Amino acid sequence: MTFRTRLVLSYLTLIALPLLVLSTLFYRTSLNVVTEQAQKNVYAVVKKNNDVIDTKLGMADQNSRSLFVDKDLYEIFNALHPSREEELVAADRQISAILSKYFSQNEDVYAVQLWTSYYSFGLSLSLPQGDPTQSRIYKEALRAGGKMVWYPTYDFTRMFNQPWLKDGSIDFRYLFSATRLLNFSHLEDSTLVKLKPGVERPVLTISYKSTVMDELFEQSIPAGSSYMVLDPNDVVVASSDGSQVTKKYAPAWIEAFRAKGSGTERIMLNGKHQIVCFARSEVTGWLSIVVTPQSALVSSLVPVIRTSTIVGALALTAVALFFAYFILGRITGPIKRLMSAMRSVGEGDFQTRVEVKRNDEFGLLSQRFNRMNDRIAMLVKENYEIKLKEKEAEIQALNMQMNPHFLYNTLNIMNWTAIEHGQKELSKMLVCLSNMLHYTSRKDWGAVRLAEELEWMRNYFYIMSVRFEGKFDVTYDIEPALYEEELPRLLFQPFAENAILHGFGGLEAGGRIGIRGWTEGGSRYFEIRDNGRGISKAGIDAILYEESASVGIKNTISRIKMAYGDDYGIRIESAPGEGTRVRIQLPRNTQY
């Protein structure tokens, strides 16, 4: 068997086996990736729906809090005589108008009422409730003592003892309600005035039709999926199976999801692989669950993945055959010539040359080999010069590491600020970030004046103070002569960031950062000091000496030593509970 034949057979064997394995892995991986992406999409829909529900129901919670200090309601109930029917009717009109002011803009609210033992006020829809004070909703509100109670979906005819409506077709058959006991008060000459002790406190009831949640889920979840909303007692608030509403649903797997709060899992239900996405409401505590058969998410994509895998495997096999029969035969000759020349070079003959007969890659390789020998002497000479330049390149590389690292942190902070604060401070933060990006994106990464560095730090501190809601203050004590002297860029940022993110981790307010600069002898000193929780001796050693700890601080130390020598650098003094002091020593009037 010739060398070419052995080479062809070996080539085909080496291609066929990995191709079979890779094709199988590609098919399984592609299927898994598609499934995971579909799972993430369904989870995103559930989270979004949950946020929409929280927004809608949260409006009712906020508006109900406003009723506590509504002066008009206070005056009506404080002066109302329950025995006078004409007063009750007049009060009903006034109260209906007041409730309409707070809740009429919320189109999801079905009815808003104030219940007392003697009258139901604000009844905008004719709900034949009888005596609502005998209902469980009313009693739950009394027990809560002023806290908002979200009562899950209930059968109206049973809750209010209306059996004559049981067989009728009414659109308010299934409702869920939010109730709260109202103890009105208002400020009068800087004094908080409450209702008279003998005045009965009304119960606010905000009712929603259960279809509010049905419409939201049915329009957003994938085909073939089912949904369910459960209260903390496993009562079904809403469901794609209408017969389950108001009933209890408590399989074993629900408890694990309720403890987790939100997420997505793959489980076996009814003998099928199911993807379950769930999220708990921050307003009501109800758990939204969407169950989607795994096959429903990927059924349309499986044939595409399978076909593409087979076609790809066949195409790669054809390419392998082409290379085996038409390319491998042209490899052995040039390889032999190159190996002979390489042996000569290995023995010290740098004048060896390979005759160039072809213009393909092997011809180019032969040309490069000849050129390599011509350059060996030159490379020996250049080697020393390259060593000198490596130090400068390392300094530039360390400098450039600071820029993307900090940009990432800054953009992450602004993202969370926008989410948490609803763009209130966004305009000013964008101005600060624009200045910071302009400063850090300069092509020249040499030295900067201290005045420029401190201006950048002020922008940085502003963004961080908004992110942490005024948790800390910053003071400066700099000798005037230092403002025009040059120093490495982003010298203070890693230590300030460490103080804010780690030093003030346990503080709600009262954090203090002090930046001080002075001269002493032939050196400049800068100190960053905080009153945070401090660092242990082991923590300081990890920052200074371990490779995996605090990339920003390690880079800053390296830049200082490479620019000014080993006599300069930083010193960290700290202890748990005593804050941290970082002192930086640089030479005076030295170009960076």
Side-chain angles (χ1 to χ4, degrees), residues 375-388:
R375 290 180 57 86
I376 285 179
M378 185 183 301
L379 291 175
V380 171
K381 178 181 177 181
E382 291 177 349
N383 184 59
Y384 178 72
E385 297 176 2
I386 291 174
K387 290 294 184 181
L388 294 178

Side-chain angles (χ1 to χ4, degrees), residues 15 17 58 103 108 111 139 236 243 343 374 502 526 541 560:
I15 288 296
L17 291 178
F103 298 98
D108 297 310
K139 295 174 182 177
V236 179
S243 63
R343 278 195 295 269
D374 294 336
H502 302 292
F526 299 95
D541 291 341
I560 293 173

Side-chain angles (χ1 to χ4, degrees), residues 40-64:
K40 291 178 181 178
N41 292 340
V42 175
Y43 177 60
V45 169
V46 175
K47 288 285 290 181
K48 181 179 179 181
N49 287 351
N50 212 54
D51 291 340
V52 171
I53 292 172
D54 279 359
T55 300
K56 290 182 175 182
L57 302 186
M59 291 172 59
D61 188 18
Q62 293 175 4
N63 290 337
S64 68

Side-chain angles (χ1 to χ4, degrees), residues 268-289:
M268 288 290 294
L269 287 178
N270 302 323
K272 295 181 179 180
H273 293 282
Q274 306 277 4
I275 295 176
V276 182
C277 301
F278 54 96
R280 184 166 53 214
S281 169
E282 297 295 334
V283 174
T284 62
W286 297 345
L287 192 67
S288 299
I289 303 172

